[in-house]
Amino acid sequence: MKQAIYNYYHRPLFRRIAHIAVVAYPIGIWLFCLLCLWYASSAIIAGKETNFSRSVSMLHREYDATAFWWELAEMLRKFLLVGLFVVVEPGSILQIAIGTIVCAAFLLVQLQAKPYKNAADDYLAAASSFALLMLFTCSIIFKYDALTASEDLQSKMS
């Protein structure tokens, strides 16, 4: 452990800055969008267009007023599946299982919230989320098959 810490602090400065940026960028962007939506939330919910709510409309214009925050949920899902879970035991069945659980939870929330103004967008988003869930489920099946397919393991199993 001490050697790992020693190696980290003796890397060139630009590598340390890059590691900090890789962590700070997605979290910082998400927090900035959260702050912008929070500041404009009263105008968005009331349906009154202000200069600021109009300037951040790219974050909420496709969603119902009650689900103006949905872009933050999408950003969080992408961050978890693409950014964070990549480092959780890479290549393991645990990594795939956690991704499956997140996809299922997100699909459940999405089906309840129906965040889009257009019903066709809700159906398309739900179909896409379901397809992603099926991809993760099939990945678990393929991983299980790969782990149990060896001849040595088959001879020991009943």
Side-chain angles (χ1 to χ4, degrees):
M1 180 68 174
K2 288 181 182 180
Q3 184 65 28
I5 293 171
Y6 176 82
N7 288 341
Y8 180 77
Y9 284 107
H10 287 86
R11 289 182 180 167
L13 179 62
F14 65 90
R15 282 191 143 187
R16 285 187 275 165
I17 292 171
H19 286 136
I20 292 168
V22 164
V23 172
Y25 179 74
I27 295 170
I29 294 292
W30 191 86
L31 288 174
F32 180 72
C33 291
L34 173 68
L35 183 65
C36 288
L37 286 173
W38 178 74
Y39 185 72
S41 64
S42 58
I44 295 168
I45 293 170
K48 297 178 183 175
E49 194 171 272
T50 63
N51 286 337
F52 188 73
S53 68
R54 189 173 35 257
S55 67
V56 296
S57 67
M58 72 226 174
L59 296 173
H60 65 82
R61 86 171 72 106
E62 298 298 323
Y63 308 112
D64 290 330
T66 56
F68 69 93
W69 49 268
W70 191 253
E71 189 64 31
L72 295 173
E74 287 284 348
M75 290 170 69
L76 181 64
R77 176 180 70 149
K78 291 172 188 174
F79 172 69
L80 289 175
L81 293 178
V82 177
L84 189 62
F85 293 156
V86 171
V87 297
V88 175
E89 295 192 35
S92 70
I93 200 159
L94 176 65
Q95 182 185 37
I96 301 169
I98 292 172
T100 305
I101 291 167
V102 167
C103 284
F106 187 82
L107 177 60
L108 180 66
V109 171
Q110 185 175 24
L111 289 173
Q112 290 298 313
K114 296 184 181 173
Y116 293 93
K117 287 181 180 176
N118 188 346
D121 290 341
D122 278 324
Y123 292 128
L124 181 62
S128 297
S129 292
F130 182 73
L132 188 61
L133 178 62
M134 288 298 99
L135 176 79
F136 274 95
T137 304
C138 289
S139 296
I140 288 176
I141 294 167
F142 290 139
K143 186 69 171 179
Y144 177 78
D145 182 57
L147 291 173
T148 59
S150 73
E151 301 249 346
D152 187 38
L153 187 61
Q154 289 290 330
S155 66
K156 294 178 182 173
M157 292 177 65
S158 58

